[in-house]
Amino acid sequence: MEMQNLDKLVQFRHDIHQHPELGFCEHETSRKVQGYLDDLGIDYVSGIGKTGVVAWIKGTSEGSDRTVGLRADMDALPLEETSGVDYSSKNKGCMHACGHDGHTTMLLGAVEHFHANRDFAGTIYFVFQPAEEGVGGGKAMVDDGLFERFPMDEIYGLHNWPGLPVGTFGLIPGPLMASGDRIDVTIHGKGGHGGLNPHGCIDPVRIAADFINRAHTIISREVDPLNPAVLSICAIESGDISGFAVIPDTARMSGTLRSLDKDTRNVMVAALERLAKSLEAYYGCTIELQIEDKFDVTFNEAGATESATKVIRETFGGDALAEGHKPSMGGEDFSYMLAACPGAYVHVGAGDDEHTHGLHNPGYDFNDKIIPYGVQLLTGLALESLGKQNRNT
C-alpha cells in the first residue's frame, strides 16, 4: 500500500521512537506533534489531560455541524530496548514497546490527509492522548473536559496487533478489551530467627505463599466459567536473599485483575477481601489490600462497530476483517472515552516475518508497513461517521 508522504511519516515515527517518554512526561513528544500541526497550519489546543493535544479540521462542505473524534496514544514503557534497530531508544530504560509512536504517526497522517482534502461536512477532532500505559491519561483528558470542550458525536481509536497479519483487522461489537485493576498486598507479620525460633514469629513469607495459592483458585471456583477473567499475582518482595535465616517483618505483593464485565470484577474483588480477612484471623497478622481500578472495559458501541466494519470491508476488501476475533484480556484506557462517547476500537494487523515480537517486549518494534493501513482506516472512519450522521440528520 503506497502513500505519497509515507517517507515523511516514517521519519517522524523513527524520531519519536528514539526519544520515548513515559506517561504524563511526553513533553517533547507533544511538542513535536504540535510542531507537525504548526507546519500544516492546523488549529489545536495543548495541555489537555496534562500533556494531551486536541486538533481539529472543519470541512468546507455545508449542511452539517456533526463531529467525530479520532484518537491516538503517545506514551512509552519503562523497558530497556533490545530491538537492534538503528533508531533505537536513546533514553535509557524507556522505549516504545507498544507502538504508540506508530499510532501517533498514523493520526498525523490522517491530519495531513484532511488538511489537503476538506471537502466534507462537519468537524473532525484529532485527540493525541498521553499516559495510556496504566497511569490514566484517557481519564485525565475526559476529566479535563475533553467532550465538553470538543463535543463529539462519535470517537474511534486503533491499536497495532502483532497477532494478526498485516492487511487484516480485528473488530467485534461489545467488549473488546478487559477492565484492569492493580492489586497491592502488604502483609505485616513478626520477624525473627528462621532456625532458632520460627514458632515465635508470624512469618509473612509463609502467609504470602498461602495468599498466592488461594488467590489463584478464585477464578476456578468463584467465577462463572462462561465469563472470561484473569487474576494474577505477578510480583513478591520480602526480606533479603542473603539473610537465609532471617524471617522478615513484612511481605509485599502486586498483581492484576482482568474481566469483561463489572459483575465478574466484583466477584473477584469480594473474594480477595474475604481471603485477606480470613488469613489475618488464622495467622494473627495484618494484611493491607488495595485494589486500584486502572481502566474500564473497552466497549464497542453497536452502531459505531457496524460503521467501522463497513469501512474495513469497502476499503481493504471483504476478507480483511479477521474471522473469529476474540476479546483481549489486555487493557486500554481509551475505554474512558468510549464510556463517555459512542465509538469503536479496532485492532490493526501488524504481524509478518520481520516483526515477530509481541507488545511490551523489549525486542518489539512497530511495523512501518501498516502506517498506510492505519491512515486509510482513520480517514475512512471519520468520513463514514460524518456521512452516516449527516444521512440521519
Side-chain angles (χ1 to χ4, degrees):
M1 188 170 293
E2 297 182 358
M3 284 179 54
Q4 290 183 345
N5 62 337
L6 181 58
D7 289 344
K8 175 185 175 183
L9 292 173
V10 169
Q11 184 178 5
F12 182 89
R13 204 280 290 184
H14 291 184
D15 179 37
I16 60 174
H17 184 92
Q18 285 184 295
H19 304 94
E21 297 170 297
L22 299 179
F24 294 128
C25 296
E26 309 94 338
H27 303 292
E28 186 66 13
T29 304
S30 181
R31 187 191 66 77
K32 289 177 179 178
V33 167
Q34 293 171 55
Y36 202 108
L37 298 171
D38 285 334
D39 289 344
L40 295 174
I42 303 297
D43 293 324
Y44 65 87
V45 174
S46 62
I48 302 172
K50 297 185 180 179
T51 48
V53 178
V54 177
W56 60 89
I57 296 176
K58 183 175 178 58
T60 56
S61 298
E62 300 292 334
S64 175
D65 58 358
R66 293 293 188 172
T67 61
V68 63
L70 303 174
R71 172 268 195 183
D73 36 19
M74 300 188 294
D75 59 323
L77 283 159
L79 288 176
E80 188 68 27
E81 183 165 3
T82 62
S83 69
V85 296
D86 57 9
Y87 47 86
S88 290
S89 171
K90 294 182 177 180
N91 296 343
K92 186 173 178 59
C94 186
M95 72 167 289
H96 274 292
C98 203
H100 297 182
D101 50 341
H103 304 161
T104 297
T105 300
M106 290 190 288
L107 188 54
L108 285 172
V111 171
E112 193 155 5
H113 170 84
F114 286 116
H115 169 65
N117 301 275
R118 298 183 182 233
D119 53 339
F120 60 89
T123 301
I124 304 171
Y125 291 106
F126 306 88
V127 181
F128 296 88
Q129 181 203 307
E132 188 279 329
E133 295 291 357
V135 285
K139 186 175 187 299
M141 292 193 84
V142 172
D143 290 346
D144 205 8
L146 174 66
F147 294 113
E148 290 77 23
R149 298 165 68 179
F150 312 97
M152 304 175 203
D153 295 297
E154 288 186 331
I155 189 167
Y156 292 88
L158 56 73
H159 202 294
N160 77 100
W161 212 245
L164 291 174
V166 172
T168 61
F169 300 83
L171 175 67
I172 53 175
L176 179 68
M177 300 188 74
S179 66
D181 294 83
R182 173 173 175 148
I183 307 166
D184 283 289
V185 183
T186 302
I187 300 170
H188 298 280
K190 179 182 177 183
H193 197 299
L196 179 64
N197 71 330
H199 58 289
C201 301
I202 300 176
D203 185 353
V205 176
R206 171 193 179 197
I207 300 167
D210 201 2
F211 186 100
I212 293 170
N213 286 333
R214 291 172 186 254
H216 285 161
T217 67
I218 290 173
I219 299 297
S220 64
R221 288 297 177 267
E222 307 235 10
V223 173
D224 186 333
L226 298 180
N227 294 340
V230 175
L231 192 164
S232 295
I233 304 299
C234 301
I236 180 170
E237 178 182 88
S238 186
D240 189 318
I241 199 69
S242 62
F244 68 96
V246 179
I247 293 175
D249 287 321
T250 61
R252 300 171 56 211
M253 298 177 287
S254 67
T256 188
L257 297 177
R258 304 294 170 107
S259 64
L260 294 178
D261 65 89
K262 290 185 178 180
D263 289 342
T264 299
R265 176 191 180 272
N266 292 339
V267 166
M268 292 190 289
V269 169
L272 283 172
E273 290 173 344
R274 292 197 309 271
L275 174 60
K277 289 179 181 178
S278 68
L279 293 179
E280 282 184 323
Y282 182 78
Y283 288 108
C285 65
T286 301
I287 299 178
E288 297 177 34
L289 173 64
Q290 294 182 325
I291 301 175
E292 180 185 2
D293 184 356
K294 302 294 285 187
F295 33 77
D296 289 338
V297 173
T298 302
F299 191 92
N300 283 344
E301 191 265 337
T305 305
E306 183 178 351
S307 295
T309 299
K310 178 182 176 184
V311 170
I312 291 168
R313 287 176 172 163
E314 291 182 353
T315 306
F316 305 103
D319 296 331
L321 201 63
E323 291 187 9
H325 193 62
K326 296 180 180 180
S328 166
M329 301 310 286
E332 168 58 68
D333 79 350
F334 182 53
S335 56
Y336 289 105
M337 296 185 188
L338 289 178
C341 178
Y345 194 60
V346 183
H347 292 155
V348 181
D352 60 23
D353 292 340
E354 299 172 4
H355 297 82
T356 58
H357 291 289
L359 304 174
H360 291 215
N361 185 292
Y364 167 88
D365 181 38
F366 179 85
N367 190 346
D368 290 327
K369 296 175 186 176
I370 73 168
I371 290 176
Y373 291 91
V375 173
Q376 289 197 26
L377 175 63
L378 290 169
T379 56
L381 289 171
L383 292 174
E384 174 61 25
S385 179
L386 293 177
K388 173 184 67 176
Q389 293 164 27
N390 293 340
R391 290 192 295 271
N392 293 336
T393 301

